Amino acid sequence: MAFAVPVWLAVQEEMLGSFEPEEEQDGAPPCFDNFSDEALFEKFHLSRPCIAFILDSVGTHMKTVDSTKRHTSVDVMLMIALNYYAHGAFSSSVAGNTWMSQTGNLNSVVKTISGVLAAMCKTFISFPLTAEARSRTASQIEEFCGIPNVLGVLAPAHFKIRASPYDKTSFKSFINALGYTSVVSQFICDSEGNILSVEKCCVGSSFEQEMWETSFKGKEVENEQHGPFWFIGYHLSKHVLTPVLEPSTDGDIRFNKAHAKIHNVMEVTIGSMKRRFKCLMQLGFADETSLNTKANIIKACCMLHNIAKKFSVPLPGNNTAAVHETPYPGKQHLSPVEVSTEALEVRRQLIEKNFSVAKHPDPVETSVSNQYLKCGVF
């Protein structure tokens, strides 16, 4: 993963226990020191070294924030925000220990910290931009599933929200294909579940393919800015691979298993994020004017997810089994979407070259449900 070298050198130091966060200007120790390691994990779903690193990074960036938005010390503000991300609510044992016990004040703190974390995303959510980084990412994916020249898994991530039914036009725009109100963001991850890109925060009824085509990353890819690489996704195109809807050969079947295996990484990634950061299970009330606020919370959790992975922080709960997000079926156009014959031919050639003859054992069996195969694939 192409994170800035100095940043992850600092992470390595922290993992070795050599890092100490800066103290507050008044000399008081960070408020996180009031919790035992067990209580710290229960309240924030992160480890002490991980939180120390986050606190130091946020403290540096908070120097650029308008002083009117600094409601209290940086460590207290971060404590409130991390507690909200972890539980989707403010724990009395956390908020009650601060003077900011009123919900309006607490929400304002979360909004400020989320904005700071979102602004830091370019450092901690990094797409492979160099030839070496792209080659390394593609090689890891090929080793994992057998599909060559793939830079990442592309998928929509839906997050439930509450919308006012009294505003019928706005309410309807948030209803997704599964019938509940949500906002949707575009994710790209690698074979290890690191988030490489997060873009957009649209109403739940948005067409995923249109999100991709209008996104910064989609435009870069279609302009071949990142070279002749594929993405695992939901609509077959020149740079996006989907499974074969009606497999007719052994090669098609093997390719579909490989595609399902790597796509499963995204399902686990989103599911794990929602397990660690329960605020993503329900982002509260929203209208189209509040999408930026929701986007910042989503980006903040993506960034914290990547940092937690670097620190090998386990997921909360006693169940260590992987958490899967059910594949989203995608919103279908009323009229059939034209599929490029060139894209179909290129996929066929890829399958014939890499999957028609089993050069190595098939990928681990991963069921490809009818729902998955109907996610706008061809």
Side-chain angles (χ1 to χ4, degrees):
M1 190 171 178
F3 288 110
V5 173
V7 172
W8 290 123
L9 285 177
V11 173
Q12 294 295 330
E13 291 178 357
E14 293 228 18
M15 294 177 73
L16 294 174
S18 62
F19 175 82
E20 292 294 337
E22 294 183 5
E23 293 186 350
E24 293 297 303
Q25 292 182 355
D26 61 3
C31 60
F32 295 102
D33 290 353
N34 297 328
F35 298 94
S36 66
D37 288 349
E38 293 75 15
L40 202 70
F41 186 77
E42 191 277 328
K43 300 296 182 186
F44 310 106
H45 296 167
L46 298 169
S47 64
R48 190 176 300 279
C50 183
I51 291 175
F53 175 75
I54 296 167
L55 176 59
D56 184 65
S57 300
V58 170
T60 300
H61 283 77
M62 280 293 286
K63 296 175 182 178
T64 64
V65 175
D66 184 348
S67 60
T68 61
K69 296 181 180 180
R70 301 180 197 172
H71 305 272
T72 181
S73 61
V74 175
D75 62 327
V76 171
M77 291 180 68
L78 182 63
M79 178 183 69
I80 292 170
L82 292 182
N83 182 238
Y84 170 76
Y85 299 149
H87 298 280
F90 301 106
S91 302
S92 58
S93 59
V94 173
N97 289 330
T98 74
W99 63 269
M100 308 186 67
S101 58
Q102 294 186 2
T103 303
N105 292 329
L106 297 172
N107 286 331
S108 181
V109 168
V110 171
K111 184 176 181 179
T112 298
I113 292 296
S114 297
V116 171
L117 293 175
M120 296 164 59
C121 277
K122 289 185 179 180
T123 301
F124 298 96
I125 299 177
S126 180
F127 192 79
L129 297 177
T130 66
E132 180 183 359
R134 288 192 288 265
S135 177
R136 181 169 59 251
T137 300
S139 294
Q140 291 171 342
I141 291 177
E142 182 174 7
E143 182 178 356
F144 179 79
C145 70
I147 305 178
N149 301 320
V150 172
L151 276 188
V153 186
L154 170 69
H158 280 260
F159 305 97
K160 291 182 178 180
I161 57 94
R162 295 187 180 95
S164 173
Y166 297 105
D167 186 346
K168 295 183 179 180
T169 301
S170 176
F171 181 78
K172 185 177 180 180
S173 70
F174 282 104
I175 299 177
N176 62 30
L178 293 180
Y180 62 85
T181 51
S182 70
V183 292
V184 56
S185 293
Q186 175 182 281
F187 279 27
I188 298 176
C189 78
D190 64 13
S191 59
E192 297 178 344
N194 296 298
I195 303 296
L196 303 180
S197 173
V198 55
E199 277 193 65
K200 301 280 191 176
C201 184
C202 303
V203 295
S205 63
S206 302
F207 288 100
E208 291 80 7
Q209 182 62 19
E210 292 176 1
M211 288 176 58
W212 167 248
E213 292 172 351
T214 58
S215 69
F216 291 112
K217 198 58 62 186
K219 291 177 181 178
E220 290 176 358
V221 170
E222 294 305 321
N223 290 332
E224 300 190 349
Q225 182 173 326
H226 299 290
F229 289 94
W230 294 94
F231 290 83
I232 298 299
Y234 36 75
H235 182 90
L236 184 65
S237 67
K238 185 177 180 181
H239 294 285
V240 180
L241 281 173
T242 62
V244 179
L245 181 58
E246 298 179 355
S248 59
T249 67
D250 290 342
D252 291 345
I253 295 172
R254 278 190 285 267
F255 171 75
N256 278 2
K257 289 180 179 179
H259 191 288
K261 183 181 181 183
I262 185 62
H263 195 279
N264 181 66
V265 174
M266 177 63 84
E267 297 168 23
V268 171
T269 298
I270 298 174
S272 297
M273 282 185 58
K274 290 183 177 181
R275 180 167 164 180
R276 187 186 302 280
F277 306 113
K278 292 185 178 179
C279 69
L280 297 178
M281 299 292 290
Q282 174 53 257
L283 282 174
F285 281 96
D287 55 44
E288 295 187 23
T289 62
S290 67
L291 293 182
N292 285 340
T293 300
K294 305 304 179 187
N296 284 344
I297 292 176
I298 294 168
K299 289 179 180 179
C301 290
C302 288
M303 172 188 151
L304 296 173
H305 163 84
N306 280 355
I307 295 176
K309 285 185 64 65
K310 287 294 180 181
F311 280 89
S312 300
V313 183
L315 290 174
N318 297 324
N319 186 2
T320 59
V323 183
H324 290 259
E325 175 82 354
T326 303
Y328 185 76
K331 183 178 180 180
Q332 302 298 313
H333 289 272
L334 295 177
S335 57
V337 179
E338 183 178 352
V339 183
S340 168
T341 55
E342 178 185 3
L344 287 169
E345 176 61 20
V346 171
R347 185 181 64 180
R348 185 190 66 79
Q349 292 177 4
L350 181 147
I351 293 174
E352 286 187 354
K353 181 178 179 180
N354 297 278
F355 293 94
S356 291
V357 177
K359 299 178 181 179
H360 42 73
D362 283 347
V364 175
E365 290 290 337
T366 305
S367 63
V368 185
S369 66
N370 291 333
Q371 182 185 29
Y372 176 66
L373 285 176
K374 292 179 180 178
C375 295
V377 300
F378 300 88

